C-alpha cells in the first residue's frame, strides 16, 4: 500500500469515526427529546386528572401525541425471524408489545411498547440477537417529504 493510499485510508477511517460519534449524539438528543415529550404528556395528563378545566389540549391532540409515544424502529428483520418470534423475544427481553407494524417487503418493523420501561430498556440495549440475526433497535427518524 503506497503512502498516498494509506493516507486516504486513514482519512476515511477518521471520517467514519466522526460520523459514528455524530450519529450517537443524534440518538442521545432524540432520546432526550422523547423524554421531554413524555414529561410534557404526563404533566398535561396530571392537569387533566386534577381539574379538566385546566387542560388546554383536546383529547384528540393528546391521542395524536401519545400514538407513537413508545414506538421504536427494529432493523434487519429477515428470515428466519417471523412476527411471532420477534414479538416473543422482545416481550421476554424488554416488556409488553401493544402494536407491531412491518411492511412485507422491507426488512424492518415498528413496535410500540406498553410503557416507558420496555421502551427505554430496548433503546438502551440498542440491538438484540434473534435466531442468529443481529436486530438493530433505534428511535424513530422523521420522514422527509419532498
Amino acid at each position: 500500500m503506497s503512502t498516498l493510499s494509506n493516507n486516504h485510508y486513514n482519512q476515511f477511517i477518521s471520517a467514519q469515526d466522526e460520523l459514528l460519534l455524530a450519529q450517537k449524539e443524534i440518538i442521545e438528543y432524540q432520546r432526550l427529546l422523547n423524554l421531554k415529550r413524555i414529561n410534557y404528556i404526563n404533566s398535561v395528563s396530571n392537569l387533566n386528572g386534577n381539574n379538566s378545566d385546566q387542560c388546554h389540549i383536546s383529547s384528540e391532540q393528546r391521542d395524536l401525541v401519545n400514538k407513537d409515544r413508545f414506538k421504536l424502529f427494529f432493523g434487519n428483520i429477515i428470515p428466519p425471524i417471523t412476527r411471532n418470534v420477534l414479538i416473543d423475544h422482545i416481550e421476554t427481553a424488554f416488556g409488553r408489545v401493544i402494536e407491531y407494524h412491518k411492511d412485507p417487503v422491507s426488512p424492518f418493523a415498528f413496535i410500540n411498547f406498553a410503557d416507558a420501561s420496555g421502551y427505554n430498556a430496548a433503546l438502551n440495549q440498542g440491538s438484540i440477537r434473534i435466531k442468529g440475526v443481529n436486530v438493530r433497535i433505534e428511535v424513530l427518524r422523521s420522514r422527509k417529504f419532498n
Side-chain angles (χ1 to χ4, degrees):
M1 188 179 286
S2 71
T3 306
L4 183 59
S5 62
N6 191 20
N7 187 26
H8 282 102
Y9 176 76
N10 288 337
Q11 288 176 341
F12 177 74
I13 296 298
S14 177
Q16 278 186 321
D17 289 344
E18 289 175 18
L19 180 60
L20 185 60
L21 182 60
Q23 288 173 330
K24 287 180 180 179
E25 289 174 354
I26 289 169
I27 289 170
E28 179 62 19
Y29 179 72
Q30 288 173 330
R31 187 183 70 77
L32 290 173
L33 285 176
N34 281 340
L35 289 175
K36 285 185 177 186
R37 183 174 68 170
I38 290 167
N39 288 338
Y40 170 76
I41 292 166
N42 288 339
S43 68
V44 169
S45 296
N46 289 340
L47 280 176
N48 193 31
N50 293 336
N51 183 353
S52 60
D53 294 336
Q54 293 178 356
C55 183
H56 299 290
I57 65 172
S58 69
S59 60
E60 293 83 18
Q61 290 170 319
R62 189 171 35 257
D63 290 344
L64 183 62
V65 171
N66 284 329
K67 180 180 176 286
D68 294 332
R69 184 173 172 186
F70 301 123
K71 184 182 277 189
L72 290 174
F73 169 91
F74 284 74
N76 201 26
I77 309 299
I78 57 173
I81 301 174
T82 64
R83 176 187 188 277
N84 291 340
V85 167
L86 178 64
I87 291 174
D88 287 345
H89 273 79
I90 290 171
E91 286 187 330
T92 300
F94 307 121
R96 190 165 69 93
V97 171
I98 58 171
E99 186 180 14
Y100 167 91
H101 173 74
K102 181 180 183 315
D103 184 279
V105 180
S106 304
F108 57 84
F110 297 100
I111 294 180
N112 273 6
F113 287 92
D115 56 33
S117 64
Y119 173 89
N120 289 327
L123 187 58
N124 288 335
Q125 186 159 328
S127 68
I128 186 171
R129 194 150 186 88
I130 302 173
K131 293 210 170 229
V133 177
N134 191 38
V135 176
R136 292 184 333 272
I137 305 169
E138 301 173 7
V139 295
L140 298 180
R141 298 180 186 151
S142 58
R143 292 183 184 175
K144 294 183 181 177
F145 297 101
N146 295 329

